């Protein structure tokens, strides 16, 4: 018999709301009530009850996640700083927190990634897909993304599950970090594991509309990937790749 997920979507929305109001109380939440660690933990527990049966496991995961919040906040602050430093249109970090879709998408990815690492089912995807629907930015919670990460504009960005991104990477709209080909298992179905998505080195800039595919594709440090390029093989560091015949 399948589980009953009625109310789970609202529970995940509450997790997102409490997360932002707890970490950024001067920007989100309400005047009437200040979100506390205990309130956030209770929201997480409510969500976890939909996918985990053991009460001890639920409480342990909720406590571990709550304990990780200072670390999550620290890295999110680097993302905000990266946006401010990288975008000449940004007049303040307050503007980034309040208006940039990349800020919300990356922040919830940071939360979802910790839950993914704790092997929580379904909820990490629900968190990032909620941001996907709101921002047009699709980041799988399994992706590994370093600090000072900035997505400019953001609409149409896709970052796959096994993508590895270094520090101080900047990505523009309509960029895909995806799969070159799908491995077929012995039973004829798609293989669910293995390295499928590319690796992006420190300091890389990926301009609008670029597509980078393949688990064995490595983009070296400080590369600039031009708009509209199609890349399916590794690029050495400090390389400029431009759209010539649409293929590198």
């Amino acid at each position: 018999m399948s589980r009953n997920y009625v109310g789970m979507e609202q529970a995940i929305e509450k997790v997102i709301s409490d997360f932002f109001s707890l970490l950024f109380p001067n920007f989100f939440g309400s005047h009437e009530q200040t979100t506390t660690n205990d309130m956030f933990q209770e929201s997480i527990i409510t969500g976890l009850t939909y996918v985990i049966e053991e009460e001890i496991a639920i409480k342990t995961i909720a406590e571990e996640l709550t304990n990780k919040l200072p670390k999550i906040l620290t890295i999110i602050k680097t993302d905000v700083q990266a946006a401010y430093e990288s975008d000449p249109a940004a007049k303040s970090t307050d503007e980034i927190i309040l208006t940039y879709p990349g800020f919300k998408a990356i922040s919830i990815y940071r939360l979802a990634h910790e839950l993914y690492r704790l092997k929580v089912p379904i909820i990490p995807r629900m968190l990032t897909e909620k941001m996907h629907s709101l921002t047009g930015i699709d980041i799988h919670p399994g992706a590994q993304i370093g600090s000072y990460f900035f997505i400019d504009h953001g609409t149409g960005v896709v970052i796959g599950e096994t993508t590895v991104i270094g520090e101080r990477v900047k990505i523009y709209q309509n960029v895909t970090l995806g799969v070159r080909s799908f491995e077929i298992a012995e039973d004829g179905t798609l293989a669910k594991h293995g390295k499928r998505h590319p690796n992006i080195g420190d300091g890389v800039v990926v301009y609008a509309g670029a597509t980078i595919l393949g688990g064995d594709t490595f983009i070296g440090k400080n590369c600039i990937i031009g708009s509209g390029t199609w890349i399916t093989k590794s690029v050495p560091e400090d390389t400029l790749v431009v759209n010539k015949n649409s293929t590198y």
Side-chain angles (χ1 to χ4, degrees):
M1 184 175 179
S2 64
R3 290 177 177 272
N4 186 345
Y5 294 108
V6 175
M8 187 176 179
E9 184 174 3
Q10 290 74 23
I12 296 307
E13 289 173 350
K14 182 68 161 54
V15 169
I16 292 171
S17 175
D18 284 353
F19 174 76
F20 279 122
S21 61
L22 176 60
L23 267 59
F24 297 92
N26 293 337
F27 295 87
F28 307 106
S30 68
H31 291 294
E32 292 75 24
Q33 183 172 279
T34 301
T35 303
T36 64
N37 276 11
D38 288 344
M39 292 168 63
F40 173 77
Q41 190 167 318
E42 191 59 38
S43 295
I44 288 292
I45 288 173
T46 299
L48 290 172
T49 58
Y50 286 93
V51 296
I52 298 174
E53 294 181 357
E54 300 82 5
E55 185 176 340
I56 293 177
I58 289 172
K59 289 184 176 180
T60 298
I61 291 170
E63 288 176 1
E64 286 190 40
L65 183 64
T66 304
N67 290 337
K68 291 177 183 292
L69 288 177
K71 169 191 167 185
I72 294 172
L73 177 59
T74 296
I75 195 168
I76 290 174
K77 285 182 176 179
T78 72
D79 300 327
V80 173
Q81 189 62 31
Y84 181 70
E85 293 174 357
S86 299
D87 186 2
K91 301 302 188 290
S92 67
T93 55
D94 288 2
E95 179 182 14
I96 290 161
I97 293 169
L98 289 169
T99 69
Y100 278 42
F103 162 77
K104 287 195 171 181
I106 295 166
S107 297
I108 292 302
Y109 152 77
R110 301 286 187 197
L111 173 66
H113 181 66
E114 295 299 334
L115 286 166
Y116 179 92
R117 292 180 63 196
L118 292 169
K119 302 187 185 305
V120 173
I122 301 177
I123 291 176
R125 286 299 301 272
M126 289 189 71
L127 288 167
T128 55
E129 289 302 330
K130 179 62 68 172
M131 287 300 104
H132 182 193
S133 66
L134 291 174
T135 67
I137 298 169
D138 181 2
I139 309 176
H140 194 287
Q144 300 176 50
I145 302 177
S147 59
Y148 292 93
F149 181 55
F150 176 43
I151 298 175
D152 200 356
H153 305 297
T155 306
V157 166
V158 176
I159 300 175
E161 179 181 21
T162 62
T163 304
V164 177
I165 297 175
E167 297 184 349
R168 297 188 179 276
V169 170
K170 179 164 62 173
I171 292 177
Y172 286 82
Q173 67 272 20
N174 294 318
V175 165
T176 296
L177 306 180
V179 178
R180 181 170 60 241
S181 61
F182 293 100
E183 182 180 347
I184 305 300
E186 291 182 1
D187 62 359
T189 61
L190 290 179
K192 297 292 185 178
H193 304 287
K195 184 74 170 74
R196 308 184 305 280
H197 304 89
N199 307 270
I200 311 298
D202 296 345
V204 170
V205 179
V206 185
Y207 280 99
T211 297
I212 305 172
L213 307 177
D216 57 355
T217 300
F218 289 78
I219 306 301
K221 292 181 180 180
N222 303 317
C223 284
I224 297 175
I225 307 301
S227 297
T229 50
W230 177 275
I231 298 175
T232 58
K233 62 181 180 179
S234 295
V235 178
E237 60 184 61
D238 299 311
T239 300
L240 169 64
V241 181
V242 295
N243 185 11
K244 184 178 182 180
N245 299 324
S246 300
T247 304
Y248 170 75

